[in-house]
Amino acid sequence: MFTRSLSPPADTSFFLFGPRGTGKTTWVEQHLAGAPFFDLLSSDTYLDLLSSPSRLEQRIPPGHKGWIVLDEIQKVPALLDEVHRLIQRKGFRFALTGSSARKLRSKGVNLLAGRALTLSMHPLTAAELGPSFDLKKSLQVGHLPMAQTARDMGSARAYLRSYVQTYLREEVQQEGLARNLASFSRFLEAASFSQASQLNMSAVASESGVDRKVVEDYFRILEDLLLAVRLPVFSRRAKRKIAAHPKFFFFDVGVFRAIRPLGPLDSPAEIDGPALETLLFQELRALNDTGQLGYSLHYWRTPTQLEVDFVLYGERGLRAFEVKRAARVRDEDLVGLRAFVADYPGTRAWLFYGGTRRYREGAVEVIPFGEGIRELGSML
């Protein structure tokens, strides 16, 4: 069992969003032990409250004054009107978890008019794993709790394959998000080749054998299910011409590997490089959200191929991170960071690499990847 860094608010209702398998239910049960718990993945509960949301109040024990949990609230968005009423009239506090933003973004859904905070649950961080953090393992199976606690690597990989198939079956097929499951499966594989890279919609459409407009819908499905993120380019007060297309990431390195096809024509660098970058990205997202640091996350790239993998911008300042898999840092590996620091003086910059020595190169701190991941919180 791992201790999560996220803590619930003391007396305010909240949404807790995160992909399936990140540990939302376990976290709620730990922090809100004894609260009435309504699992909307349970068919009986789902059908009862779907047919009549007002039955929620009838299901709450008489005289109850504490927290109430609605797990996977996106299954019955109409319940939010009832939740709103009960907050106003009864003073109840609700914990509302969700693994999809799709239905909650639809027109007319009541998001409680500011009466609930929004929290995010991500895969485990290196800090939460503590002594259990193993860089090699993390790069192979990612940081979903079930993957990390599996009895061996084979079991972890089997869990991740099942995880992907479960999403295809339960979220995509059952809810009719994609009419052709076979084409969506091909799209997933094609999208995995864009991991940690600039997104080219036309190329993905060609590789998956579907129209570009369909591919755009598929990417929105991934984002609505919280399974993927498009990382925008940083362009504030740009002194150079900047790339226009976002970079693409599946949310967890283990999920990425479970989707990415592997064959005799695939070199380790084609997968291991994006895996390193993905692990850093998911750590940055988790630390930023959990710590409520307020950064917006970006990358930076020019048409002349100057690039910085991650740029964080906020009241705390500018942070820039570059990832290199190689055990030795060449001078050309620092060009992007140096150019960015020159354009944005005062930026704190790091290069994480596959070596073992820690040192500085001007404004850039060069640090072994494993050390950098463990110390990331202090850098932000």
Side-chain angles (χ1 to χ4, degrees):
M1 188 69 67
F2 302 104
T3 300
R4 307 304 297 259
S5 301
L6 186 67
S7 297
D11 55 7
T12 305
S13 296
F14 62 92
F15 291 97
L16 177 62
F17 290 117
R20 289 262 195 100
T22 48
K24 300 184 300 297
T25 301
T26 300
W27 180 87
V28 167
E29 289 174 341
Q30 288 175 340
H31 286 277
L32 307 179
F37 189 98
F38 300 96
D39 179 7
L40 296 175
L41 293 179
S42 164
S43 58
D44 290 343
T45 302
Y46 168 77
L47 292 172
D48 185 40
L49 296 179
L50 179 67
S51 63
S52 180
S54 63
R55 291 175 184 164
L56 176 63
E57 183 176 8
Q58 301 169 18
R59 282 171 161 255
I60 298 171
H64 179 73
K65 298 295 183 182
W67 287 93
I68 299 161
V69 179
L70 289 171
D71 202 23
E72 301 293 348
I73 184 62
Q74 80 281 349
K75 294 292 184 182
V76 190
L79 274 172
L80 289 172
D81 286 331
E82 183 66 9
V83 168
H84 193 166
R85 185 184 71 82
L86 292 173
I87 290 174
Q88 283 189 309
R89 298 190 179 182
K90 302 288 186 177
F92 288 134
R93 290 168 293 163
F94 284 86
L96 309 160
T97 78
S99 58
S100 170
R102 183 178 61 90
K103 289 183 178 178
L104 298 182
R105 286 177 179 164
S106 62
K107 185 176 180 180
V109 170
N110 183 347
L111 292 179
L112 306 186
R115 289 176 173 79
L117 302 176
T118 299
L119 307 178
S120 297
M121 181 69 76
H122 295 273
L124 292 159
T125 64
E128 290 168 340
L129 285 165
S132 298
F133 174 67
D134 181 300
L135 179 58
K136 290 183 178 179
K137 179 180 179 180
S138 294
L139 290 171
Q140 290 296 318
V141 302
H143 282 179
L144 288 178
M146 289 294 289
Q148 278 289 321
T149 56
R151 66 178 182 272
D152 53 40
M153 295 292 281
S155 299
R157 291 190 179 101
Y159 163 74
L160 289 166
R161 288 193 297 270
S162 174
Y163 180 95
V164 173
Q165 292 165 3
T166 296
Y167 261 101
L168 286 174
R169 183 175 65 253
E170 293 185 0
E171 300 293 348
V172 177
Q173 188 177 39
Q174 289 185 8
E175 301 222 4
L177 297 179
R179 294 181 180 180
N180 188 327
L181 198 57
S183 68
F184 189 82
S185 298
R186 293 195 303 272
F187 156 75
L188 279 181
E189 291 192 0
S192 72
F193 287 90
S194 296
Q195 184 80 358
S197 300
Q198 282 187 300
L199 188 56
N200 185 324
M201 289 279 189
S202 297
V204 175
S206 176
E207 290 170 12
S208 52
V210 296
D211 291 339
R212 180 191 167 101
K213 289 184 178 180
V214 175
V215 163
E216 291 173 353
D217 289 340
Y218 286 172
F219 275 114
R220 280 193 290 271
I221 289 171
L222 290 181
E223 290 171 323
D224 286 344
L225 295 176
L226 309 178
L227 293 175
V229 180
R230 279 182 268 192
L231 183 69
V233 68
F234 184 77
S235 58
R236 284 180 176 265
R237 300 184 181 181
K239 298 180 180 180
R240 311 166 193 256
K241 187 176 181 180
I242 300 299
H245 297 292
K247 289 171 75 171
F248 172 79
F249 289 89
F250 285 106
F251 78 101
D252 175 78
V253 65
V255 172
F256 156 61
R257 283 190 180 271
I259 295 172
R260 174 67 157 83
L262 181 62
L265 299 181
D266 297 299
S267 68
E270 291 178 307
I271 299 176
D272 293 346
L276 273 171
E277 199 170 326
T278 302
L279 184 60
L280 177 55
F281 180 53
Q282 65 188 72
E283 289 276 325
L284 289 170
R285 291 183 69 214
L287 292 172
N288 186 46
D289 286 347
T290 301
Q292 299 181 353
L293 303 182
Y295 288 108
S296 57
L297 272 62
H298 312 263
Y299 82 106
W300 184 76
R301 182 168 181 165
T302 72
T304 57
Q305 308 304 307
L306 293 173
E307 184 172 3
V308 175
D309 290 328
F310 302 108
V311 173
L312 279 67
Y313 179 83
E315 292 183 359
R316 294 167 175 259
L318 267 168
R319 307 286 188 268
F321 296 87
E322 182 70 13
V323 179
K324 297 297 180 184
R325 178 171 169 263
R328 294 183 63 183
V329 174
R330 303 166 299 172
D331 192 62
E332 53 262 40
D333 294 332
L334 297 159
V335 171
L337 281 172
R338 286 170 174 163
F340 188 84
V341 171
D343 284 5
Y344 299 96
T347 298
R348 295 184 64 190
W350 291 267
L351 188 149
F352 289 10
Y353 79 120
T356 59
R357 188 167 69 94
R358 184 171 186 159
Y359 60 100
R360 292 195 70 88
E361 284 284 353
V364 180
E365 183 171 0
V366 180
I367 182 169
F369 191 94
E371 289 183 33
I373 287 290
R374 289 185 180 91
E375 299 174 19
L376 196 57
S378 65
M379 300 174 187
L380 306 182

Short mmCIF file of all heavy atoms in Angstrom, two decimals, residues 228-250:
data_model
loop_
_atom_site.label_atom_id
_atom_site.label_comp_id
_atom_site.label_asym_id
_atom_site.label_seq_id
_atom_site.Cartn_x
_atom_site.Cartn_y
_atom_site.Cartn_z
N ALA A 228 -5.09 10.29 -22.48
CA ALA A 228 -4.06 10.92 -23.30
C ALA A 228 -4.12 12.43 -23.14
O ALA A 228 -5.14 12.99 -22.72
CB ALA A 228 -4.21 10.53 -24.77
N VAL A 229 -3.00 13.07 -23.48
CA VAL A 229 -2.87 14.52 -23.34
C VAL A 229 -2.17 15.06 -24.57
O VAL A 229 -1.22 14.45 -25.08
CB VAL A 229 -2.03 14.89 -22.09
CG1 VAL A 229 -1.90 16.40 -21.95
CG2 VAL A 229 -2.63 14.29 -20.84
N ARG A 230 -2.64 16.21 -25.04
CA ARG A 230 -1.90 16.94 -26.06
C ARG A 230 -1.18 18.11 -25.39
O ARG A 230 -1.82 18.94 -24.75
CB ARG A 230 -2.84 17.42 -27.17
CG ARG A 230 -3.15 16.35 -28.18
CD ARG A 230 -4.04 16.84 -29.29
NE ARG A 230 -5.45 16.60 -28.99
CZ ARG A 230 -6.43 16.71 -29.88
NH1 ARG A 230 -6.16 17.05 -31.13
NH2 ARG A 230 -7.68 16.47 -29.53
N LEU A 231 0.13 18.15 -25.53
CA LEU A 231 0.96 19.16 -24.87
C LEU A 231 1.19 20.32 -25.83
O LEU A 231 1.82 20.14 -26.88
CB LEU A 231 2.29 18.53 -24.45
CG LEU A 231 3.26 19.42 -23.68
CD1 LEU A 231 2.71 19.71 -22.27
CD2 LEU A 231 4.63 18.73 -23.57
N PRO A 232 0.72 21.52 -25.49
CA PRO A 232 0.86 22.65 -26.43
C PRO A 232 2.27 23.22 -26.44
O PRO A 232 3.05 23.04 -25.50
CB PRO A 232 -0.14 23.66 -25.88
CG PRO A 232 -0.19 23.38 -24.41
CD PRO A 232 -0.02 21.89 -24.27
N VAL A 233 2.56 23.94 -27.51
CA VAL A 233 3.86 24.59 -27.63
C VAL A 233 3.86 25.87 -26.78
O VAL A 233 2.82 26.51 -26.61
CB VAL A 233 4.17 24.90 -29.11
CG1 VAL A 233 3.24 25.98 -29.64
CG2 VAL A 233 5.62 25.29 -29.30
N PHE A 234 5.01 26.21 -26.24
CA PHE A 234 5.16 27.45 -25.47
C PHE A 234 5.50 28.58 -26.43
O PHE A 234 6.51 28.52 -27.14
CB PHE A 234 6.27 27.30 -24.42
CG PHE A 234 6.42 28.50 -23.53
CD1 PHE A 234 5.52 28.72 -22.50
CD2 PHE A 234 7.45 29.41 -23.72
CE1 PHE A 234 5.65 29.82 -21.67
CE2 PHE A 234 7.58 30.52 -22.90
CZ PHE A 234 6.68 30.72 -21.86
N SER A 235 4.66 29.61 -26.45
CA SER A 235 4.85 30.67 -27.44
C SER A 235 4.76 32.07 -26.85
O SER A 235 4.71 33.05 -27.59
CB SER A 235 3.80 30.52 -28.55
OG SER A 235 2.49 30.58 -28.02
N ARG A 236 4.76 32.20 -25.54
CA ARG A 236 4.64 33.52 -24.94
C ARG A 236 5.84 34.39 -25.31
O ARG A 236 6.99 33.99 -25.13
CB ARG A 236 4.55 33.41 -23.41
CG ARG A 236 3.18 32.97 -22.90
CD ARG A 236 3.18 32.89 -21.39
NE ARG A 236 1.87 32.55 -20.88
CZ ARG A 236 0.97 33.45 -20.47
NH1 ARG A 236 1.28 34.74 -20.51
NH2 ARG A 236 -0.21 33.08 -20.02
N ARG A 237 5.54 35.56 -25.82
CA ARG A 237 6.56 36.55 -26.18
C ARG A 237 7.70 35.89 -26.96
O ARG A 237 8.88 36.14 -26.70
CB ARG A 237 7.09 37.26 -24.95
CG ARG A 237 5.99 38.00 -24.19
CD ARG A 237 6.52 38.80 -23.03
NE ARG A 237 5.43 39.46 -22.33
CZ ARG A 237 5.60 40.26 -21.26
NH1 ARG A 237 6.82 40.46 -20.77
NH2 ARG A 237 4.56 40.84 -20.69
N ALA A 238 7.33 35.06 -27.90
CA ALA A 238 8.32 34.30 -28.65
C ALA A 238 9.24 35.23 -29.45
O ALA A 238 8.77 36.17 -30.11
CB ALA A 238 7.63 33.32 -29.59
N LYS A 239 10.53 34.97 -29.39
CA LYS A 239 11.52 35.73 -30.15
C LYS A 239 11.90 35.03 -31.44
O LYS A 239 12.69 35.54 -32.22
CB LYS A 239 12.76 35.97 -29.29
CG LYS A 239 12.47 36.77 -28.03
CD LYS A 239 13.72 36.98 -27.20
CE LYS A 239 13.41 37.80 -25.94
NZ LYS A 239 14.62 38.03 -25.11
N ARG A 240 11.37 33.82 -31.63
CA ARG A 240 11.64 33.04 -32.83
C ARG A 240 10.33 32.49 -33.35
O ARG A 240 9.34 32.43 -32.63
CB ARG A 240 12.60 31.87 -32.54
CG ARG A 240 13.85 32.23 -31.76
CD ARG A 240 14.53 30.98 -31.23
NE ARG A 240 15.55 31.29 -30.24
CZ ARG A 240 16.85 31.28 -30.47
NH1 ARG A 240 17.29 30.95 -31.68
NH2 ARG A 240 17.71 31.56 -29.52
N LYS A 241 10.34 32.03 -34.58
CA LYS A 241 9.18 31.31 -35.10
C LYS A 241 9.07 29.99 -34.37
O LYS A 241 10.07 29.28 -34.17
CB LYS A 241 9.34 31.08 -36.61
CG LYS A 241 8.09 30.49 -37.26
CD LYS A 241 8.25 30.38 -38.75
CE LYS A 241 6.99 29.80 -39.38
NZ LYS A 241 7.12 29.67 -40.86
N ILE A 242 7.86 29.63 -33.94
CA ILE A 242 7.64 28.47 -33.08
C ILE A 242 6.76 27.46 -33.80
O ILE A 242 5.88 27.80 -34.60
CB ILE A 242 6.98 28.90 -31.75
CG1 ILE A 242 7.88 29.89 -31.01
CG2 ILE A 242 6.68 27.71 -30.87
CD1 ILE A 242 9.23 29.35 -30.63
N ALA A 243 6.99 26.18 -33.52
CA ALA A 243 6.17 25.11 -34.09
C ALA A 243 4.71 25.29 -33.67
O ALA A 243 4.41 25.89 -32.63
CB ALA A 243 6.68 23.75 -33.63
N ALA A 244 3.81 24.76 -34.48
CA ALA A 244 2.39 24.96 -34.22
C ALA A 244 1.70 23.74 -33.62
O ALA A 244 0.71 23.87 -32.91
CB ALA A 244 1.68 25.35 -35.52
N HIS A 245 2.20 22.54 -33.90
CA HIS A 245 1.48 21.33 -33.52
C HIS A 245 1.82 20.89 -32.09
O HIS A 245 2.98 20.99 -31.66
CB HIS A 245 1.81 20.19 -34.49
CG HIS A 245 1.38 20.47 -35.90
ND1 HIS A 245 0.06 20.54 -36.27
CD2 HIS A 245 2.11 20.69 -37.03
CE1 HIS A 245 -0.02 20.80 -37.56
NE2 HIS A 245 1.21 20.91 -38.04
N PRO A 246 0.85 20.37 -31.36
CA PRO A 246 1.13 19.87 -30.01
C PRO A 246 1.86 18.53 -30.05
O PRO A 246 1.90 17.86 -31.08
CB PRO A 246 -0.27 19.69 -29.41
CG PRO A 246 -1.14 19.40 -30.59
CD PRO A 246 -0.58 20.22 -31.72
N LYS A 247 2.43 18.15 -28.92
CA LYS A 247 2.98 16.81 -28.75
C LYS A 247 1.91 15.93 -28.10
O LYS A 247 1.02 16.42 -27.40
CB LYS A 247 4.24 16.84 -27.88
CG LYS A 247 5.44 17.45 -28.58
CD LYS A 247 6.61 17.66 -27.63
CE LYS A 247 7.31 16.39 -27.28
NZ LYS A 247 8.58 16.65 -26.53
N PHE A 248 2.04 14.64 -28.32
CA PHE A 248 1.03 13.69 -27.83
C PHE A 248 1.64 12.74 -26.81
O PHE A 248 2.77 12.26 -26.97
CB PHE A 248 0.48 12.88 -29.01
CG PHE A 248 -0.44 11.76 -28.59
CD1 PHE A 248 -1.75 12.01 -28.25
CD2 PHE A 248 0.03 10.45 -28.52
CE1 PHE A 248 -2.58 10.98 -27.85
CE2 PHE A 248 -0.78 9.42 -28.13
CZ PHE A 248 -2.10 9.69 -27.78
N PHE A 249 0.86 12.44 -25.76
CA PHE A 249 1.29 11.49 -24.74
C PHE A 249 0.10 10.65 -24.26
O PHE A 249 -0.95 11.21 -23.91
CB PHE A 249 1.85 12.21 -23.50
CG PHE A 249 3.17 12.87 -23.70
CD1 PHE A 249 3.24 14.18 -24.15
CD2 PHE A 249 4.36 12.20 -23.43
CE1 PHE A 249 4.46 14.81 -24.33
CE2 PHE A 249 5.58 12.82 -23.60
CZ PHE A 249 5.63 14.12 -24.06
N PHE A 250 0.24 9.32 -24.23
CA PHE A 250 -0.60 8.52 -23.34
C PHE A 250 -0.17 8.85 -21.92
O PHE A 250 0.99 9.15 -21.65
CB PHE A 250 -0.44 7.04 -23.64
CG PHE A 250 -1.14 6.60 -24.90
CD1 PHE A 250 -0.42 6.31 -26.05
CD2 PHE A 250 -2.52 6.49 -24.94
CE1 PHE A 250 -1.07 5.91 -27.21
CE2 PHE A 250 -3.18 6.08 -26.09
CZ PHE A 250 -2.45 5.80 -27.23
#
